[in-house]
Amino acid sequence: MRVNGWGERARSLCLGGGAALLWVVAALAPPAQGAEITPFRTVNLSPIVQIFGLPAIGTATVLPKGGGEASLVFDAANNFAIDETPRDQIVLDGETYRLALGLRYGIARGIEGGIELPFVFHSGGELDGFVEWFHDSFGFGTGGRDQVPEGRLLYTYTRDGVQQFRVDHPNGGIGDIRLTAGIRLYDDESAAPRALALRAALKLPTGNSAKLRGSGSVDGSLWLTGSDDYRLGNWGHATVFAAAGGTVMSKGDVLEGQQKSVAAFGSIGAGWSPFDWFALKVQTNWHTPLYRGSSLRELDADTLQIIGGGTIAFPTGTALDLGVSEDLNIKTSPDVAFHLALTQRF
C-alpha cells in the first residue's frame, strides 16, 4: 500500500493539535457520570455525498445553560465503485478522510448553539490491502478490486461523453463549515431519561468544490432526535434512539444539473452499557438520493448504512467512540469506514 506523506503529516498535525486542546479542557472538567449512550457522529462519506449538508443526528438531550462540549471526530472511508450505463460512467476508487473540530454550548435553558470546522482529505487506497484481505477471508469477493491498481485515487463521472468532474491527485483542506442549534422539546430528567430535541444545521460553502471538499451550496437541515433509556438493574442500562428530518440545498457546483434540492434522512439505533465506563451500540443511517437523472446506484438510490462499535468513558468527562460502518445498500456509500469521536464536556 502507498502512503501519501503530505496527507499523513497533515492528518497527524490536525489530530495531535485537536487532541491536545481536548485534554487541556479535560483537566478542568468534572468527573464523568458513566457511559452515556449517544448516536455515532458519522455521515455518508461517499466523495459525492459528504460535500452536502446531511448531518450527524446528534443527541436527544440539550446541553444545560453554561455547559459546553468540545469534540474531535475522525472518519476514514475506503471507496470502491465502478459502474456504467449507455449514458453514464462513474469511478469512485480511493479514500476520503474527514476530521471535524466541534464546539457546542448551552446558550440558555433548553437552547444550545455550536459550530463544526471540518477538514477533508482525498488520497489513494491506503486501506486497500486490508479491505481485500477482509473480503477474501470472509468470502465476500473482491468486487473487481483485483482488476485495478492498488492505492489508486480516481473519482470521476462522465455523462453523455462529457466529463463532469475528476479528482485523481491527493488533496486536502478545509471543508464546508457548519453552524448548529438545538432546542429541547422534552426531557423528563429522570434516572432513565426520555428526551426529544429539535435540531438544525446550516452548512456554508467554504470548501473547494472542484476538489470535492465542498459542494458550493448553502444547505439547511432540520430534524427531530429522540431517545429513551431503560435501567436493567445489575445489567447496567440500555438506550434506544432515532431521528428523522430533511435537508434543503441551494444549487451547488458539483453536478449542478442533476443535483436535487431536497433530501430526507433518518436513523435508528440502540446501545447497552453493562459498566459505567463502557457501552456497545449499533446504528443504521438512511437518506434519499442527492442526484437525479441517472440509473447509476451511486447517484440515484437510497443509502442505508450500518455502524457498530462502542463508547469508552473516562473519569475526566471524556468519551471515546469507536465504530465501523458498512454499506447495506451497495455502491451508495463507502465499502467500509472507520469512525473515531473524542468528546469532552466542560
Side-chain angles (χ1 to χ4, degrees), residues 280-293:
L280 293 168
K281 54 190 181 183
V282 64
Q283 177 179 332
T284 57
N285 289 345
W286 160 85
H287 67 79
T288 59
L290 304 185
Y291 303 94
R292 61 174 173 266

Side-chain angles (χ1 to χ4, degrees), residues 39-289:
F40 287 110
R41 301 170 183 235
T42 189
V43 295
N44 183 354
L45 277 193
S46 165
I48 55 175
V49 172
Q50 54 85 28
I51 56 178
F52 290 101
L54 291 169
I57 64 171
T59 64
T61 56
V62 173
L63 292 171
K65 180 181 178 181
E69 180 187 83
S71 62
L72 173 70
V73 180
F74 180 71
D75 292 282
N78 185 276
N79 295 283
F80 184 78
I82 300 176
D83 213 347
E84 66 177 311
T85 68
R87 295 188 64 187
D88 305 89
Q89 298 84 42
I90 193 167
V91 177
L92 300 177
D93 183 13
E95 286 176 7
T96 295
Y97 306 91
R98 186 176 189 270
L99 174 72
L101 305 176
L103 181 66
R104 296 190 297 142
Y105 186 76
I107 301 171
R109 180 177 172 83
I111 302 175
E112 70 174 41
I115 186 170
E116 181 186 77
L117 176 62
F119 297 87
V120 178
F121 307 88
H122 300 298
S123 75
E126 298 170 13
L127 296 171
D128 281 352
F130 169 79
V131 174
E132 290 175 16
W133 169 83
F134 181 84
H135 284 186
D136 286 342
S137 298
F138 291 91
F140 294 153
T142 63
R145 286 176 175 269
D146 54 345
Q147 304 300 313
V148 301
E150 188 173 303
R152 180 178 68 166
L153 170 61
L154 181 59
Y155 297 153
T156 184
Y157 171 62
T158 300
R159 181 172 177 82
D160 294 331
V162 179
Q163 189 172 79
Q164 303 297 313
F165 65 79
R166 183 184 181 93
V167 174
D168 56 8
H169 286 86
N171 72 86
I174 190 172
D176 285 351
I177 293 174
R178 303 185 190 215
L179 305 177
T180 63
I183 299 175
R184 180 175 62 196
L185 299 181
Y186 178 78
D187 190 339
D188 63 10
E189 298 182 346
S190 65
R194 179 176 297 170
L196 179 68
L198 176 67
R199 294 197 169 274
L202 178 67
K203 184 190 75 68
L204 305 175
T206 54
N208 187 324
S209 57
K211 296 183 181 297
L212 296 181
R213 299 201 299 262
S215 65
S217 65
V218 177
D219 304 344
S221 299
L222 189 67
W223 70 100
L224 290 170
T225 298
S227 67
D228 199 1
D229 193 77
Y230 301 90
R231 296 294 163 177
L232 305 175
N234 294 332
W235 294 93
H237 73 103
T239 302
V240 294
F241 51 84
T247 297
V248 177
M249 299 160 284
S250 68
K251 280 296 181 183
D253 301 327
V254 180
L255 305 185
E256 180 180 355
Q258 295 174 251
Q259 179 207 321
K260 291 187 174 182
S261 59
V262 178
F265 61 88
S267 182
I268 188 169
W272 172 49
S273 176
F275 312 109
D276 286 344
W277 57 271
F278 178 70
L280 293 168
K281 54 190 181 183
V282 64
Q283 177 179 332
T284 57
N285 289 345
W286 160 85
H287 67 79
T288 59

Side-chain angles (χ1 to χ4, degrees), residues 2 4 30 36 38 67 95 102 139 141 181 184 244 270 313-314 333:
R2 294 185 307 184
N4 179 264
E36 181 184 7
T38 59
E95 286 176 7
R184 180 175 62 196
F314 298 93
S333 61

